[in-house]
Amino acid sequence: MRKRIAAGVVALGVLALAAAWGLRVAGRPHAVAVPVPAGGRLDLDQTPFGEAAFAADRLTAEFRAALAPGRYALGTDVTLDVPPDTSAGGTLDLRVAARGDADGRRWIDVTAEPSRVAFSNPVRVTGAAGWVADLHELTADPGGVEATAVPVVGRSVANWVAARVWSAPGGAADQAGSPVREVTVTTARLALRENGRVGWRDFRRGDASVLAVGPGSTVDVRDLVVTAGGAITDGRLTVNLKVGADSVVRGGGVEVRAAGGDLTGTFTVRRDATDTRVSLAAGAPAAVRLVAARVTPAAGVPDFAADRLDATVDQADWAQPHGAEPVATVRTTVRVTGLTVPAALAGLRVESVTGAVAGDGNTIRLDDVSVRLPKAAVLAAARAALPKSVPLPDQPVADNVAELFRDVKLTGIAADLGAPTIGYENGRIVFAASPVVRGRVTADGRQVALEPQERVVVVFGREVRTTVQVPVVRWVPQVSAPFTVPLTVRGTATVEVIPGPTLAAAALRVRTNCESAEVGEPTVDGLPAPVRPLVQLAARFRDRVRVDGQSPAEFVRSRLTREDTVPLFAATDAPTAAALSRVTASAPRLTEDGTDLLLTASLGWTAR
C-alpha cells in the first residue's frame, strides 16, 4: 500500500513540475501573468503515479529545470527559441480542476494559481503575426505581446514536462520537439483531495484495497529528479495520509474495514528503462494505524471487532516492470488492540496481538504473536471445569434395629460443590469450596396388621369354612429423613496451552489438584430415636462409609483432582471452523503478566 502511495506521491510531485512549467512563461523583468490555458489535461497511467495524481487537489512546489537549446514549434503559429545553457526555476501553485476517465484511462485538468518563474537566459517567443516577446522573469500582470506569449508557452511547457514525467522511457517523452531535459523538484507539498480514494492490489490480484482520504492528508516531495529520457534518478517522498471512513484493506484473503486512522512513511523512488521502483527509505519504517476496525479472516466467516490496528512496515520494495504487473516484497509488524474474537471461554477478550508478518499472498507467517487472556476469563474456565456435583452410591447402615426397623441405609447421596472461590497466588490458580453432602436416611418399619385368613373347623363332625383375623408383621418404608454433611475442600490448578495442529484444535488444559477435604458436623431431621445411635453420620462419613475403597472426603477429593480440556476458540459454524483450520500454531508459551495471562506463539495463515 505504502509503495503505491509513495509512487503516486512522486507522480504528483512531478505533476506539480509539469504545471509549473506551464506557469513559467514570462517576459522581461517586469510582472507577467502566468495562467495555465485550456487544454491542460493530463492522461494518467495505471501506476501509483496516476493513482496519486487522480487523488490530488492542490500542489505547491519549488523546482528547477534544464532546457535544451534550439528552436521549438508551439503549434503552427508560434516558435520558441531557447539559447544555450538555459535553465528555469521558481515556485508554483497548481490546482486540479477536474478529473474523470475515458477509454479506460484516467485524466485530470490542472489550473495554475499565480506563481513566480525565472529563466536563467531570456527565451524568445515569435508569433506568425510578427510579434516577438523575450521572456525572462515571470511574475504577474503581463502586458503587450507578453499577454499573448505567456499562455502559449505555458501550455506547451506544461505538456512537455507532463510527458517527461508520466511517459515511460522510450515513449512520448523522448520526442525531439521538447526542450525539457532534466527536471528537479527540490520541495513540494501535495494536498490530497478530501473523500478521494487511494487504491492498490497486493500479491493476490483479487485483493483490492482502497483507503479513503481524510482531511489534512499531504505528500511532501524532496529532490525528485526526472531526466530527459523520463528516468527518475532520485526522489524522496514523505506520506502523511489521514485515513477516512469506509477504508478497506485486503491481503492474503483477510479483509480489514476501518472507520479512520493514518498512514505515514518516507519512500525513495527510482525509474529506468526497465521498471519503476519504490522502496521504504532505510532506517525510516512506515506506520499504519486503523481505528474501529472490523476484521474478516475469510469469506463467510463472522468478523472480529478491533479497537485499533497498528502496523509498522519494516521492509517495502515495490517494482513495476513497464507494461507488466507489479511485484512487491513487504515485511510488517502488526499490533491489534482490543480484538474481540469468537471464543469458547466465557468473556474472553484478546487484549492484544502482535507479530511480524511476511508472506507471498497465499501464506502468511506471524512470528512471536502475543495474545493477552484476562485471568478472570481463564479462572471462569477453570471454575466451569469443576463438576457441579459428585454423586455417591447408597450406603447400608443396619439390617435390623430391635425388630422395629430393617434395611436402614443412606440413599440419594451427592456432594454439591456450590460456588467455589478461585484466585491467583504465587503464579498458581488456587480454589476453595464448601461442598455439602446431601441425602436421606431411609428405613423400613415393623407394621403389625390383622389379616383375614380362611380357616376350616369341625363342628359336630362336619368341616366348616370360616374367616378369622390373624396378626401379620410387615416391613414397609417408614423412615425418610433428610441429612446434610458439610465438607471443606482446597486445592490448586494449572493452565497450559495445547496448540493442536491448527487453531481449530487449540485448547487450554486445566489440571486441578484437590489437596484437602474435611468433614464437618452433620445434621439430620426427623430421625426416629431408636435409629439415631446407629446412624452416627459424622463418624460414618469420616470412618465407615467407603466409596471405591475411599472415605467420602477422599472420594470427593479424588473427583476434584482431574484434568479438563477447554477449547480456546469457538467454531460455531462451518466457515469459522474452516478459517481456524487454516491457521497453524507452534511453540506456545503461557506466562503471567499482572491481571493477564500472556500467550505467545508463532502462527502461520494459509489464505486458501
Side-chain angles (χ1 to χ4, degrees):
M1 170 182 64
R2 297 158 190 67
K3 297 177 269 190
R4 187 163 186 90
I5 293 176
V9 174
V10 177
L12 290 168
V14 181
L15 166 60
L17 268 183
W21 274 105
L23 302 173
R24 6 179 217 222
V25 261
R28 296 161 257 224
H30 62 78
V32 178
V34 194
V36 173
R41 173 165 295 187
L42 302 174
D43 289 328
L44 307 176
D45 59 24
Q46 299 301 312
T47 68
F49 287 97
E51 187 73 29
F54 196 76
D57 184 56
R58 201 175 191 94
L59 174 67
T60 58
E62 294 183 3
F63 70 94
R64 63 178 182 273
L67 305 181
R71 172 167 292 184
Y72 301 91
L74 308 184
T76 59
D77 297 328
V78 180
T79 59
L80 174 67
D81 291 300
V82 179
D85 301 323
T86 298
S87 63
T91 61
L92 59 90
D93 186 352
L94 296 176
R95 180 171 56 86
V96 177
R99 55 183 54 81
D101 61 80
D103 299 326
R105 297 180 66 87
R106 288 178 171 180
W107 54 264
I108 59 175
D109 285 342
V110 294
T111 302
E113 301 297 330
S115 302
R116 184 180 182 86
V117 179
F119 295 97
S120 61
N121 299 312
V123 296
R124 174 160 293 188
V125 184
T126 304
W131 57 264
V132 175
D134 291 324
L135 304 180
H136 187 203
E137 184 175 350
L138 311 182
T139 55
D141 301 326
V145 294
E146 291 180 351
T148 302
V150 164
V152 176
V153 176
R155 181 178 65 245
S156 300
V157 174
N159 291 337
W160 286 330
V161 173
R164 285 286 182 264
V165 172
W166 276 278
S167 297
D174 291 329
Q175 56 189 322
S178 171
V180 178
R181 291 300 179 256
E182 185 174 280
V183 178
T184 300
V185 176
T186 54
T187 62
R189 166 155 289 190
L190 172 66
L192 301 184
R193 177 172 55 100
E194 185 177 351
N195 297 323
R197 294 290 188 268
V198 177
W200 72 94
R201 296 179 183 273
D202 72 354
F203 314 96
R204 303 172 55 84
R205 301 308 299 166
D207 287 340
S209 299
V210 178
L211 292 183
V213 178
S217 297
T218 61
V219 176
D220 290 322
V221 183
R222 294 185 62 86
D223 302 325
L224 179 67
V225 178
V226 183
T227 68
I232 298 175
T233 59
D234 198 6
R236 196 173 182 89
L237 316 169
T238 301
V239 179
N240 183 8
L241 176 66
K242 306 300 182 184
V243 177
D246 300 324
S247 293
V248 182
V249 178
R250 298 182 178 92
V254 180
E255 178 180 282
V256 179
R257 293 184 175 271
D262 49 64
L263 181 155
T264 59
T266 300
F267 302 85
T268 61
V269 61
R270 302 289 188 276
R271 185 172 70 187
D272 56 24
T274 303
D275 60 20
T276 300
R277 189 175 297 271
V278 176
S279 301
L280 190 65
V288 181
R289 179 179 63 91
L290 301 177
V291 298
R294 306 292 303 183
V295 182
T296 304
V301 177
D303 57 7
F304 311 152
D307 295 339
R308 175 168 169 164
L309 183 149
D310 292 278
T312 301
V313 182
D314 303 304
Q315 177 188 359
D317 296 296
W318 179 92
Q320 182 175 20
H322 302 312
E325 297 292 339
V327 177
T329 302
V330 180
R331 184 171 180 82
T332 306
T333 300
V334 177
R335 181 177 182 83
V336 180
T337 305
L339 179 65
T340 303
V341 300
L345 302 184
L348 174 63
R349 179 173 174 82
V350 182
E351 293 297 337
S352 65
V353 179
T354 61
V357 180
D360 60 2
N362 291 312
T363 302
I364 300 174
R365 184 71 185 176
L366 299 93
D367 298 320
D368 295 328
V369 174
S370 299
V371 180
R372 288 190 177 273
L373 309 176
K375 285 181 181 177
V378 178
L379 293 177
R383 181 183 292 110
L386 295 173
K388 302 297 183 294
S389 178
V390 178
L392 285 79
D394 293 350
Q395 299 294 317
V397 174
D399 292 333
N400 193 313
V401 180
E403 291 298 325
L404 295 176
F405 297 97
R406 286 184 178 179
D407 195 19
V408 181
K409 60 185 177 182
L410 309 180
T411 63
I413 311 171
D416 182 1
L417 296 184
T421 60
I422 299 181
Y424 262 88
E425 291 182 6
N426 300 322
R428 299 185 307 169
I429 298 175
V430 296
F431 68 89
S434 299
V436 177
V437 179
R438 290 185 170 86
R440 306 188 79 83
V441 180
T442 62
D444 293 340
R446 187 174 186 272
Q447 185 182 67
V448 178
L450 295 177
E451 182 179 272
Q453 293 184 1
E454 189 178 79
R455 299 286 179 87
V456 178
V457 297
V458 177
V459 179
F460 303 113
R462 298 178 61 181
E463 291 184 347
V464 178
R465 294 183 177 277
T466 184
T467 299
V468 297
Q469 299 293 323
V470 179
V472 177
V473 176
R474 296 177 179 174
W475 299 95
V476 298
Q478 195 174 75
V479 177
S480 180
F483 70 85
T484 58
V485 182
L487 300 178
T488 301
V489 297
R490 296 180 181 85
T492 61
T494 59
V495 178
E496 64 177 312
V497 178
I498 308 173
T502 67
L503 286 190
L508 291 180
R509 179 185 286 130
V510 182
R511 287 192 173 99
T512 306
N513 179 31
C514 183
E515 298 174 346
S516 67
E518 301 174 357
V519 178
E521 291 300 319
T523 60
V524 60
D525 298 324
L527 195 63
V531 180
R532 293 173 191 168
L534 297 175
V535 175
Q536 298 179 338
L537 286 178
R540 284 186 178 279
F541 274 90
R542 290 190 183 98
D543 305 317
R544 302 179 192 176
V545 174
R546 288 292 180 268
V547 181
D548 294 338
Q550 300 173 307
S551 69
E554 292 171 337
F555 180 72
V556 170
R557 178 180 173 184
S558 68
R559 292 297 301 272
L560 293 180
T561 299
R562 54 192 292 120
E563 180 178 300
D564 296 281
T565 300
V566 180
L568 188 58
F569 298 104
T572 57
D573 52 68
T576 301
L580 291 173
S581 68
R582 292 199 293 271
V583 182
T584 59
S586 60
R589 301 176 301 281
L590 191 65
T591 58
E592 187 176 355
D593 184 14
T595 59
D596 296 328
L597 294 179
L598 187 63
L599 168 64
T600 58
S602 295
L603 300 182
W605 166 267
T606 302
R608 295 290 187 269

